[in-house]
Amino acid sequence: MTHAPLIRTLLISLCLAWLGWGIWWMSAESAPIRQLEYWMHDGLFWLRGATPVSGQVVIVAIDEASSTELGHAWPWPRSLHARLIKTLNLAGARLIFFDVIFAKPAKDPTEDQQLAAAMQESVPVILASGIAQTHRPTHVEASWLEPTPLLRHAAHATGAAIFLPDGDGVIRTYPDQMEGRISLGQLFASLISPNPSRVSSLIDYHGPMGTLPAVSYYQALNWHTDLPKGYFQNKVVLVGHMNNIPVALGSGTDSFPTPFFRFDGQRMHGVEIHGHLFETILNPNPLRNWSPGPWIVPVLWIWLVTLRGEWAANHPGLVLILFVGFLMMVSAGIYTLFVQYRILCTVGFPITLLTLGTMGWSLHGHVTTLRKKKVLKKIFGNYIAPALVERLLRQPELVRLGGEVKEISVLFSDIRGFTGLSEALPGPEALVTFLNHYLNAMTAPVLTHQGMIDKYIGDAIMALFGAPLDDPHHARSACLAALAMVEALPAVNHHFLTSWPSATSGIQIGIGIHTGEVVVGNMGSRQRFDYTVIGDNVNLASRLEGLTKEYGVHIIISATTREQLDARFICRELDMVRVKGKNQPVKIYQLITCGTASGEFSWLESHYARAVTAYRAGDWEHAAGILEQILQRAPEDGPTRLLHTRCNRLLAHPPETWDGVWTMTAK
């Protein structure tokens, strides 16, 4: 039975974990999830920053500086490109790629012939194909652009230099093919990789714009004077636009957003993106994409079990701190996978799932807490002070309804001679009216001193101190409540005698208090139960209340209660008794007040203590003599009168054995 809450927590958290995964799986392609994925993808690249490149890729930039140096406006003569190819061959280039689409024949056919001849005599030269868009009033026309047949057949291969941006316009991957044409990335992979099918489509950007080595076109033509020796040796050379002027065929400037664009606002030239693509393919350990899928469920399950629903609902601030901390741990793990192991985790999935799981678990805990608070309010709302009820509602974990052994102080009070009182009143309505007034007056001190009304039994009151909420000073609280109840009695009697003139005298009450361990919790049937206490110590408190009538005092407390009171509480040791139903003797005290004792009481208490000492020693004659002295000054003192009568009885009929303990025969 004690494992039931744990099992329930495990099952509910597991269901929530799978439910969260199912919700994510159904909404993985939704715009918010996709945007989160994009943000996290780009953030990883930005956090990693620039990384070293292989040095195997070099860009030859078609830029404004080269137009100025060469004295040509774009498009340049194709014989110039032929010259570049020959120069790069002499410089030891490994492969040449032109990110330029030669879609129309040159005005001078010899220009194309020179370029074709240069390509045929060169290391592999790859030409680009692509798509041109024409904007019409009602639509956009797209047409596929290929190099002229002469140049296409002269080149080693032609690849589709096409980027397919994600939904936010950022270039993060490259396609394998486009409308049946092999993509540039896949083509390059087939040239340098023995198994191109395993090449990742993710572009591993080594940094923002300007990360890859690049030289101007005119510098490449004069490499032997303008560049270090061996600059192009065994390099893959990409030739393309790195300026802000429109490229041919109205396709706009050749620049696109990359993962760094979100943070630095700079677009990257297409030829540089191809350079990062080639660097990615050349890396023997390519960047890989990984989605944890259902494997995230155990992680979420562990998180939810650790969190616990009700605790989460009651500690939103700590939950936020833990959630942020856990999220940071997950983020650190994702970043480590990316940087150390070159694995790009689908980060939106675990983060979304953790968020949904935490929200769902907290909601479940909130509902459970509300239900528990409703039960607590139903159980305790009418029996403890409103401030304690609010504390219980704020911290329901402070009370265990299932039952526990706990040290508390139990108070019983009763009206003496209640039967005669009920007969003196005009009828049952008057009796109920009086009892309601009396119980209200007696309940207030209990609640004021952090007590709980366990039950009303006719005119009797049973109250608990130290339960359901812990009170390290429960004995003191019970005694203060008892003294306040006695102090409230004159006002009750005034109301009683004023309301019912036929009554001849006011009422008297007796209060018994005992401190000890009891079993406390919800007890009863499935249909009806109450939060109450049971145990011998409860019965002893009731017996002490019954003794108040015999000793003629208002309040009697046990020795265990007296031991927990400080010196401010004035008490008189009354007797050592065996109450009915118990063999163990109990030392009992009269609780007088909390404060300073009067001189008269000090005299009485010292003489009574001497009498009790003689009485317990069996010197009843000496004890009776001291008690007679007391009665001369305090003839109405109940304990003295009782003990004097008992001494005379013992003198007349001495017992065979005497241990100084009086055995009570009535409750």
Side-chain angles (χ1 to χ4, degrees), residues 24 289-295 344-346 349:
W24 177 88
N289 210 345
W290 177 71
S291 175
W295 289 104
L344 184 62
C345 182
T346 308
F349 172 64

Side-chain angles (χ1 to χ4, degrees), residues 369 372-373 376-377 380-381 384 386-400 468-469:
T369 301
K372 180 175 284 189
K373 286 181 177 180
L376 290 174
K377 196 167 186 178
F380 299 111
I384 62 177
L388 291 182
V389 174
E390 290 302 316
R391 185 181 171 197
L392 273 178
L393 296 182
R394 289 194 307 270
Q395 298 174 280
E397 70 276 7
L398 293 179
V399 60
R400 292 177 57 188
L469 294 178

